[in-house]
Amino acid sequence: MVAAGGLGALGVGPVPISARAQAGRAADGEIDLLVRNVRIADGKPLVDLATSKGQFVAVQPNITADAARVIDAEGRAAIPGLLEPHIHLEKALLEQRMPNQSGTLAEAIRITGKLKAQQVREDVLDRSRQVLDMAIRNGVVALRAQPDVDPIQGLIGVETGLALAEEYKTALDLQIVAFPQEGILKAPGTLAMMEEALNMGASVVGGCPYNERTWEDTQSHIDACFALAQKYSRPVDLHADFADDTSDRRFAAASYIAQKTIDTGYQGRVTLGHMTSLGALLPEQAKPVIDLLQQAEISIVTIPATDTYLGGRKDQAAPRRGLTPVVALRNAGVTVTYASNNIRNAFTPFGKVDPLQIGNMLAHIAQLGSPDDQAYVLRMATLNAARAMGIGDRYGLEVGKQADMVILDTPMVANALLDLPPRSWVIKRGKVTFETRHEEKIHR
């Protein structure tokens, strides 16, 4: 059970450091940033956080040390840096160029196919930078980008993504997935391009197994992704089961993927995005699939903005929500996180790369409204996302972890989803990357 008090109950509480060690660091001038009077757990005293060389070195009340920079948070709440574990940079901000008039997945794929055939490097970089700047303003410190790798677009998404990872490295971490949007068997030459992407520096093997012509080809697609991942020792991140139901087996691949994960010893290294058709199953039908996902230690990324916008379009009565069964997965012990996915394009005409906004939306749709549930949703965008992205070992407001955090303009951690507060300071590896001042005045 997640305590209603917020993230402090999730292993993000004060971790003391000895007075001697603290004094020694101060004498050596090693404290780069000291954040005073911040709340990281509701119902507990305010603490100070000290960072050195990009890591937290002290998290406790009343740190007595000099620092190169001091921020007085004045009682504001702080959370670990927000994460976006699934986003498409090179397809962002294209909605105005060719709108999706029907709002269907089929038209979104068709429109995007036309537009990505015309991709130009500088335009991709410009739109991607706009998205990354949105992310920084909203407190995002790491993203997993999913650029298409296929004969239509080539490797422009990977090449620009890697360039942006270097350009933005002081503000955020950018993982690049080699993502075969058009299929592998259906688009000959794609597998070789994926391998080239990995040799260029892509860090994750992607997949889109439902975008094949037959169930047998879907299985072969999955097998090819795992073989490539094993060859290069990379994690796997698949778009999977993105449909309203499981009548077509290509959209019911979760069990096959989970068993493949276990058979290859890839537990804890596989992430599945979307997973909407799982939500169409009755509880007794879904249970064995969910249990297998838990055994395989697979992380699930639900994408509420895209999936609920596109889902259930053909339903004339009782339209389906088109959402991953978050509660059932949570109750079974599966790691579930969420992401923005697409930003203002044919798949999702809205979005501003704000995990708190998406979390608020998810809380409504998935009916996660109790204090415990809201704390869980916030954990989805932080600790759960870190686990899905493979960075959990260095993430969190604890001594020894990477000094990534967001100070919110609200006095309680529990207000994060309620207030959607301004991000007063965003800190990446102990460096302030964004700050804002918010002033309000009501005239009566």
Side-chain angles (χ1 to χ4, degrees):
M1 181 68 69
V2 177
L7 286 176
L10 308 177
V12 194
V15 180
I17 185 171
S18 72
R20 177 177 297 177
Q22 186 185 115
R25 288 194 177 93
D28 294 340
E30 293 181 359
I31 303 298
D32 302 317
L33 176 67
L34 179 58
V35 178
R36 294 195 179 280
N37 303 313
V38 68
R39 188 176 305 284
I40 64 173
D42 295 342
K44 295 185 179 180
L46 302 179
V47 298
D48 300 342
L49 299 98
T51 78
S52 176
K53 298 178 181 178
Q55 293 186 331
F56 291 112
V57 295
V59 182
Q60 66 181 62
N62 304 315
I63 294 175
T64 56
D66 296 325
R69 178 171 181 180
V70 177
I71 293 174
D72 187 351
E74 298 178 323
R76 291 179 175 86
I79 59 176
L82 292 164
L83 304 174
E84 278 282 1
H86 185 127
I87 197 163
H88 296 271
L89 293 178
E90 89 283 10
K91 291 187 282 193
L93 307 178
L94 289 172
E95 170 69 5
Q96 296 301 316
R97 299 183 188 183
M98 194 177 290
N100 182 348
Q101 301 292 353
S102 69
T104 63
L105 176 61
E107 185 174 354
I109 292 173
R110 180 179 61 80
I111 286 172
T112 303
K114 289 183 179 179
L115 290 173
K116 72 179 182 180
Q118 307 165 16
Q119 294 277 40
V120 177
R121 183 179 189 277
E122 289 305 316
D123 181 58
V124 172
L125 286 171
D126 177 64
R127 287 183 287 105
S128 298
R129 288 186 184 110
Q130 291 181 58
V131 173
L132 294 177
D133 289 347
M134 290 180 191
I136 292 169
R137 287 195 293 269
N138 289 315
V140 175
V141 298
L143 306 91
R144 177 174 281 185
Q146 307 253 0
D148 289 10
V149 173
D150 55 51
I152 301 173
Q153 179 170 283
L155 292 170
I156 188 172
V158 173
E159 186 272 322
T160 52
L162 291 170
L164 291 164
E166 177 64 22
E167 181 179 333
Y168 279 79
K169 66 182 180 181
T170 61
L172 48 80
D173 298 320
L174 186 57
Q175 299 178 357
I176 305 299
V177 180
F179 171 54
Q181 169 75 77
E182 303 300 324
I184 293 178
L185 284 80
K186 196 169 74 171
T190 295
L191 190 60
M193 295 176 68
M194 292 172 67
E195 187 158 10
E196 184 179 353
L198 295 174
N199 285 319
M200 289 169 62
S203 56
V204 183
V205 174
C208 194
Y210 57 77
N211 198 4
E212 298 288 357
R213 292 187 176 90
T214 66
W215 166 239
E216 290 72 25
D217 285 355
T218 289
Q219 292 173 293
S220 296
H221 182 122
I222 294 164
D223 294 345
C225 290
F226 273 88
L228 194 59
Q230 289 177 291
K231 179 178 179 179
Y232 286 87
S233 189
R234 305 287 170 83
V236 173
D237 192 328
L238 307 178
H239 290 51
D241 295 8
F242 186 18
D244 286 330
D245 57 48
T246 60
S247 57
D248 186 331
R249 290 190 69 188
R250 294 175 299 169
F251 300 93
S255 292
Y256 185 87
I257 296 168
Q259 191 60 56
K260 187 76 176 182
T261 300
I262 294 168
D263 292 345
T264 55
Y266 249 59
Q267 293 95 324
R269 301 189 69 189
V270 177
T271 300
L272 302 181
H274 294 290
M275 294 295 295
T276 57
S277 53
L278 183 61
L281 298 177
L282 295 171
E284 60 270 22
Q285 296 172 314
K287 186 179 186 306
V289 181
I290 292 173
D291 288 346
L292 197 56
L293 290 170
Q294 191 276 331
Q295 293 173 36
E297 300 175 35
I298 289 175
S299 295
I300 303 298
V301 184
T302 185
I303 301 169
T306 299
D307 295 347
T308 57
Y309 179 75
L310 294 174
R313 290 276 177 169
K314 296 180 180 179
D315 294 339
Q316 298 300 308
R320 287 163 284 199
R321 295 188 178 192
L323 188 70
T324 315
V326 174
V327 173
L329 289 162
R330 176 192 65 176
N331 292 344
V334 177
T335 297
V336 189
T337 179
Y338 64 81
S340 293
N341 187 41
N342 282 293
I343 305 297
R344 305 180 194 183
N345 65 12
F347 295 92
T348 317
F350 309 104
K352 61 175 188 174
V353 203
D354 184 354
L356 295 186
Q357 180 192 54
I358 298 297
N360 181 284
M361 174 188 292
L362 176 63
H364 281 80
I365 300 168
Q367 299 175 326
L368 293 165
S370 73
D372 285 3
D373 285 341
Q374 291 183 46
Y376 172 74
V377 173
L378 190 54
R379 185 171 67 180
M380 291 173 74
T382 51
L383 302 179
N384 287 14
R387 189 174 299 117
M389 296 175 70
I391 60 174
D393 60 336
R394 60 182 184 272
Y395 179 86
L397 304 184
E398 299 179 13
V399 169
K401 300 297 179 70
Q402 193 164 283
D404 299 347
M405 64 183 295
V406 186
I407 302 172
L408 305 170
D409 192 13
T410 189
M412 295 178 61
V413 175
N415 289 351
L417 293 179
L418 297 172
D419 292 346
L420 303 181
R423 320 300 129 97
S424 298
W425 290 273
V426 180
I427 295 163
K428 179 66 178 172
R429 295 192 188 91
K431 174 190 173 185
V432 175
T433 58
F434 177 78
E435 56 187 306
T436 186
R437 293 291 180 270
H438 185 68
E439 184 176 336
E440 291 183 343
K441 187 174 183 179
I442 297 176
H443 298 275
R444 297 186 184 276

